[in-house]
Amino acid sequence: MLAASDPLPTLPQRVLVAGVSGAGKSTLSRHLAELLGLPYTELDSLFHGPNWEPRADFESDVDHLSRAPGWVTEWQYRQVRPLLAERGELLVWLDYPVRVSMSRLIRRTVRRRLRREELWNGNYEGPLWGIFTDDDHIIRWGWNTRYSLKKLVPTLESRFPGLRVVRLTSPAEAEAWLGLLERRVAPGEQP
């Protein structure tokens, strides 16, 4: 497993970003896609259909996405994680303290709800009071799964030999790592 200061052996073409809810997976994924000149697909947009119903084509859509020569997406959804890890070249693990991811998740949820931001396929954040009544409320989900990747990610490189893992333990480390990557992908240099 690589740390923030370790250089990448090669510039990746198939990138996964892992982290618990609120860590910043989508934000980092968009930044990496732009930096590396790769398409980004938000996995939530493939999973959630109207009325928050799971889409029937989710797994086949992920299979199609992951067969492409270059992409960036999040490493989530248990049923497609093995496929993505098998086809990915780099997994960036946002292993932030719980206080960081939970405070980000709460702020994001409140902002989305108050602004009525459309998420995927016509869906919106549910009522904020749902945290008290809905077991699947995103803030409860974030709290209940806050340690879920601690056992999964450290075993990935041994299970998927083509996959390199970079562990970033704070937003400052993520910024430093992105800075190193930006210097490597100098203007005019192709990834």
Side-chain angles (χ1 to χ4, degrees):
M1 187 174 306
L2 301 172
S5 59
D6 296 328
L8 294 176
T10 60
L11 287 175
Q13 294 296 299
R14 295 181 306 278
V15 182
L16 298 162
V17 178
V20 297
S21 295
K25 296 180 299 292
S26 300
T27 300
L28 184 69
S29 293
R30 280 190 290 274
H31 192 99
L32 285 170
E34 182 179 328
L35 181 64
L36 297 170
L38 298 170
Y40 164 61
T41 301
E42 191 169 7
L43 226 51
D44 282 331
S45 71
L46 298 180
F47 182 80
H48 296 291
N51 300 313
W52 295 104
E53 291 294 321
R55 291 181 58 256
D57 295 335
F58 173 64
E59 290 182 49
S60 62
D61 288 347
V62 173
D63 178 55
H64 178 75
L65 161 74
S66 63
R67 288 181 185 278
W71 43 262
V72 177
T73 196
E74 301 88 4
W75 190 67
Q76 53 189 11
Y77 296 104
R78 180 176 297 127
Q79 64 269 41
V80 295
R81 280 181 174 162
L83 175 69
L84 291 168
E86 179 182 313
R87 294 179 180 166
E89 295 173 345
L90 177 70
L91 183 135
V92 181
W93 180 22
L94 304 178
D95 187 22
Y96 296 167
V98 171
R99 71 186 182 316
V100 172
S101 58
M102 284 304 300
S103 65
R104 286 178 166 190
L105 177 61
I106 292 167
R107 282 192 311 270
R108 180 189 79 189
T109 303
V110 169
R111 184 196 76 236
R112 286 176 172 176
R113 180 62 186 170
L114 293 177
R115 292 183 183 171
R116 297 288 297 152
E117 294 177 18
E118 183 176 342
L119 301 176
W120 315 278
N121 302 311
N123 295 307
Y124 295 86
E125 291 286 1
L128 294 175
W129 53 262
I131 190 172
F132 302 109
T133 59
D134 181 1
D135 288 338
D136 291 328
H137 190 279
I138 188 62
I139 295 174
R140 286 179 83 170
W141 172 265
W143 182 255
N144 291 334
T145 60
R146 66 192 181 278
Y147 299 117
S148 61
L149 298 178
K150 297 279 188 190
K151 292 179 182 174
L152 294 175
V153 176
T155 67
L156 287 176
E157 288 179 319
S158 64
R159 292 178 19 229
F160 301 96
L163 185 68
R164 298 300 309 232
V165 175
V166 174
R167 180 177 178 236
L168 305 174
T169 60
S170 70
E173 267 193 10
E175 287 298 318
W177 183 77
L178 280 170
L180 290 173
L181 191 59
E182 285 173 1
R183 285 191 288 283
R184 183 153 177 207
V185 182
E189 180 181 332
Q190 294 299 316

